[in-house]
Amino acid sequence: MGRREKPLDPDAGPAQRLAHELRLLREKAGKPPYREMAERAGYSTTALSQAAAGDQLPSLAVVRAYVQVLDADPDEWERRWREADAEVRASSAEERAPYRGLARFEPGDSDLFFGRDRQAGELLDLVRAHRFAAVFGPSGSGKSSLLRAGLIPALRQAQGAERPAVIRVLTPGERPAGAHEEALVAADGDLDTWVIVDQFEELFTLCHDRLERVRFLDLLLRARAPGSRLRVAVAVRGDFYGHCGAATSSWSPPGMSSASGSPPGTAPRQGAG
């Protein structure tokens, strides 16, 4: 039995509305497992489930594949996607404020996220050198923004062999190993898969199963093997440093960075942790 999808508010925005409609379509089709849908769609189960997660607007190609395996009209759903995409773009143009307070910066805000180039570059070098790196810092110091608006845009600009095969962003949640095991499998090909784990402290605040926690850590730490084709960067609230060390004796991050190198009050360089 597949894991339960988190509740969605279709009135929360265009991405959430489209995801809600995709879920309804799947329910009307008898709610086939995503694994079964993936075999027909040509996309991974992760890509299809994320399309109905509502975290962000999925690509048009994924939406068309999703609905086609459910025997829906892909052209009709392309129209819905384009309407949602237009709403996202319009709201982004109207609401992009350079000073976010405690709101985090996203990859699309890279042009507003200035003053942290050195830290983003150091983090990029750490992950390239060690395949696994952790960013520690107090809440509100800009860890999430550093990953999302600093590291991810830098990866997208990389060329040649340093280009990522795919960039996956996740938060641990209640069942991190069960929910994200597939996301921690490298994509096919020669290029590395980059996994960004934000709000890593959820491993201790939301996941109360020690075995599940250790299993998730083991999945992450596989990235350290030279042939893994995985690279992982995690953001952890500083007060959970001890929890990370105590979680398992094998957990000893080879690369660390600090999100608190800039002095407080230097927004917009500082985002939410």
Side-chain angles (χ1 to χ4, degrees), residues 88 91-100 103-117 144-154 156-157 268-269 271-272:
V88 169
S91 62
S92 296
E94 293 171 1
E95 298 175 5
R96 288 181 81 224
Y99 293 89
R100 299 299 174 86
R104 74 186 179 207
F105 287 77
E106 297 292 347
D109 300 318
S110 59
D111 58 328
L112 302 177
F113 185 70
F114 56 85
R116 303 291 287 277
D117 291 346
S144 295
S145 297
L146 181 63
L147 291 179
R148 294 170 182 264
L151 179 62
I152 291 177
R156 288 175 175 171
Q157 293 171 10
R269 299 197 299 263

Side-chain angles (χ1 to χ4, degrees), residues 66-203:
Y66 188 110
V67 304
Q68 204 155 6
V69 300
L70 298 176
D71 298 321
D73 181 1
D75 292 333
E76 164 62 17
W77 282 85
E78 178 171 343
R79 182 188 62 77
R80 297 192 192 194
W81 181 90
R82 293 194 182 281
E83 289 177 354
D85 183 58
E87 289 183 46
V88 169
R89 292 177 184 274
S91 62
S92 296
E94 293 171 1
E95 298 175 5
R96 288 181 81 224
Y99 293 89
R100 299 299 174 86
L102 291 178
R104 74 186 179 207
F105 287 77
E106 297 292 347
D109 300 318
S110 59
D111 58 328
L112 302 177
F113 185 70
F114 56 85
R116 303 291 287 277
D117 291 346
R118 180 182 59 81
Q119 287 182 319
E122 288 175 351
L123 178 57
L124 187 61
D125 291 342
L126 275 172
V127 184
R128 282 177 174 161
H130 300 288
R131 292 190 169 271
F132 184 105
V135 178
F136 289 89
S139 180
S141 62
K143 302 179 299 298
S144 295
S145 297
L146 181 63
L147 291 179
R148 294 170 182 264
L151 179 62
I152 291 177
L155 287 171
R156 288 175 175 171
Q157 293 171 10
Q159 301 294 321
E162 294 186 340
R163 203 163 40 88
V166 66
I167 303 170
R168 297 169 180 161
V169 183
L170 57 92
T171 55
E174 295 181 16
R175 307 291 298 179
H180 303 303
E181 184 171 5
E182 290 187 11
L184 294 168
V185 175
D188 293 336
D190 298 326
L191 298 175
D192 287 339
T193 293
W194 285 67
V195 180
I196 311 297
V197 186
D198 199 4
Q199 300 176 38
F200 189 76
E201 61 273 5
E202 286 186 1
L203 190 62

